[in-house]
Amino acid sequence: MNRSPIPYSMFKAIGHLLLAACVASCGGGSGGGSAPGGETSGAMRNITSLQLSQEMSPGWNLGNSLEAIDTGHPYVWGSTDFNEQAWGNPAVTQAMMDAVKAAGFKTVRIPASWKQYADASDNISPQWMARVKEVVGYARKSGLYAVLNIHWDGGWMQPTYAQQATANARLTKFWTQIANAFQDEDDHLLFAGTNEVMVDGNYNAPTAEYCTVQKGFNQTFVDAVRATGGNNAKRHLVVQTFNTGIDWAMSCNATLPSDSAESRLFIEVHYYDPFDFTINADSTIWQWGAIATDPDATETWANESWVDAQFQKMKSGFVDKGVPVLLGEYGAMLRTRFDPAGTYRRYWDQAITKSAVQHGMVPVYWDNGYTADLQMGLFTRATATQAFPDVIASIVGAAQ
């Protein structure tokens, strides 16, 4: 592969571990109210996914909240003692969603865990479903688009033939329940089937087996949601590339799942190049791009032209063919030790956002909720206030 020896896709697996280690050491309605365009909940518009995507930028991730897992604190069926705060973030509130909307974001991606709240037969706890509906309701009441997914979820979704049948059965059961729970929501709620599907620890290009099984997960998700009928028959759905990698988009996922609804699919990728700048906490690479002044503190391989070339692949392969692209995650950690003013992080965030929008993609910034050094939070969630107004303004401005 013609790129850095550490592919960007490794970022997230390592990043999740880094963030979890940092935490260890260092929000019942379905969402009525007004929609962003003034529509009321329940009305599905005759609008393609490509048209819808033009209303969604920029976006923000509610990271490390509803997808938080604590194996040392197993969920007790029927309770409301969830692991939402297990990774150090406070419970999600309406105020937090209002702050995101007020800052200029238009979409919130809501990563969620489901397996830890399901019984042995994969029946999701009604209490947990109600909590997820409540949080989606917060987003909708604020006037935000919402993208709800099945996140890492404990790693049961391994794309191997050995795990294929079990994973597909669980995907079908989970998405049937989720889709039924949100059946009356309008097209300002999107479902995203999976997240960064890969074989744990393997960051290479997908084998034929891995690609086949992962594409099968996408098809299973689409089939399960469509089978529930109602608004879900035409809901806009998001399917992922293998490990949400741009370089696997055309080699593995150029053909989208078959769908009974026409022009109602997005494809999702993530972007964290270069790894040493964005997430490697041990790295001394802290400058990036055309404004860099110190060659020893810079990786030049993933500069602005690299970004544009990567995003052009998605534009040519999908957007130009009528398939919108969700840039479901991107971001760079704060490096206060080297860059107290955050100049380079802000510049990177701005450049990625601008290029994404210019190439017809919907950029959704990864906010993990933590605002200390080596973290990626933009808001102080406990107070629902902006921790880095300058970075937020640069992202929102770049999306215009």
Side-chain angles (χ1 to χ4, degrees):
M1 158 169 81
N2 233 353
R3 54 186 304 150
S4 164
I6 301 180
Y8 99 91
S9 58
M10 187 179 291
F11 160 84
K12 284 300 293 185
I14 296 176
H16 283 315
L17 295 176
L18 288 172
L19 297 176
C22 175
V23 171
S25 63
C26 331
S30 62
S34 298
E39 300 84 0
T40 56
S41 180
M44 297 291 284
R45 295 170 292 173
N46 183 20
I47 183 172
T48 68
S49 289
L50 192 61
Q51 291 170 323
L52 189 80
S53 72
Q54 296 166 7
E55 303 177 359
M56 295 174 63
S57 296
W60 176 85
N61 270 275
L62 180 67
N64 287 17
S65 287
L66 297 192
E67 83 275 31
I69 293 173
D70 183 359
T71 56
H73 182 257
Y75 175 69
V76 177
W77 185 267
S79 78
T80 56
D81 184 16
F82 308 126
N83 283 322
E84 181 178 343
Q85 301 181 62
W87 291 352
N89 282 318
V92 184
T93 63
Q94 181 67 62
M96 187 63 245
M97 293 297 184
D98 291 345
V100 171
K101 175 65 175 178
F105 291 97
K106 297 179 181 179
T107 298
V108 58
R109 179 173 178 258
I110 305 175
S113 171
W114 302 93
K115 183 65 179 76
Q116 66 176 327
Y117 301 114
D119 64 16
S121 298
D122 288 333
N123 297 302
I124 299 168
S125 158
Q127 289 77 15
W128 178 243
M129 187 69 78
R131 175 55 180 159
V132 176
K133 290 183 70 175
E134 184 174 47
V135 173
V136 170
Y138 295 157
R140 294 295 300 111
K141 186 175 181 181
S142 295
L144 292 162
Y145 280 92
V147 181
L148 178 65
N149 80 354
I150 292 178
H151 212 62
W152 178 68
D153 208 25
W156 55 265
M157 211 182 307
Q158 298 293 298
T160 63
Y161 291 140
Q163 298 295 319
Q164 184 175 25
T166 299
N168 277 329
R170 181 168 292 147
L171 265 174
T172 297
K173 189 148 189 179
F174 281 178
W175 275 115
T176 298
Q177 294 172 80
I178 298 166
N180 278 325
F182 290 96
Q183 189 175 70
D184 294 333
E185 286 294 322
D186 67 16
D187 50 21
H188 293 85
L189 172 64
L190 296 80
F191 296 149
T194 63
N195 176 73
E196 296 177 354
V197 171
M198 58 176 284
V199 173
D200 286 348
N202 186 337
Y203 304 101
N204 298 318
T207 64
E209 174 186 359
Y210 299 167
C211 179
T212 297
V213 178
Q214 186 265 338
K215 289 195 296 183
F217 292 164
N218 285 342
Q219 187 67 64
T220 295
F221 156 65
V222 172
D223 291 345
V225 173
R226 296 294 183 231
T228 62
N231 284 351
N232 293 325
K234 293 187 177 180
R235 187 168 307 285
H236 299 270
L237 304 180
V238 184
V239 297
Q240 291 70 36
T241 65
F242 184 86
N243 202 14
T244 54
I246 290 174
D247 287 333
W248 319 138
M250 298 310 298
S251 63
C252 179
N253 302 101
T255 302
L256 296 177
S258 61
D259 189 9
S260 56
E262 184 177 356
S263 300
R264 296 278 168 152
L265 293 181
F266 284 66
I267 194 161
E268 179 179 354
V269 293
H270 298 170
Y271 187 83
Y272 292 102
D273 286 337
F275 167 79
D276 283 335
F277 175 79
T278 59
I279 193 58
N280 185 359
D282 296 324
S283 173
T284 57
I285 299 298
W286 59 275
Q287 296 189 9
W288 182 82
I291 66 170
T293 60
D294 182 356
D296 292 333
T298 308
E299 279 193 0
T300 59
W301 70 270
N303 56 17
E304 293 92 338
S305 61
W306 171 269
V307 176
D308 289 340
Q310 289 294 90
F311 291 176
Q312 181 61 40
K313 294 177 184 178
M314 300 306 298
K315 183 177 187 298
S316 299
F318 296 95
V319 177
D320 290 347
K321 297 176 181 178
V323 180
V325 177
L326 186 75
L327 183 61
E329 296 182 16
Y330 70 105
M333 62 167 50
L334 184 67
R335 295 183 184 273
T336 306
R337 296 170 295 174
F338 303 110
D339 184 16
T343 300
Y344 292 96
R345 177 177 78 146
R346 182 173 60 251
Y347 179 68
W348 187 93
D349 287 340
Q350 182 179 46
I352 305 310
T353 304
K354 183 178 180 180
S355 182
V357 172
Q358 288 177 338
H359 289 89
M361 304 164 70
V362 179
V364 187
Y365 177 87
W366 178 258
D367 186 321
N368 64 4
Y370 321 126
T371 58
D373 190 32
L374 304 180
Q375 299 297 337
M376 299 173 69
L378 297 182
F379 291 84
T380 302
R381 295 192 190 177
T383 57
T385 56
Q386 297 184 25
F388 298 97
D390 59 333
V391 180
I392 292 172
S394 70
I395 292 172
V396 173
Q400 303 307 311

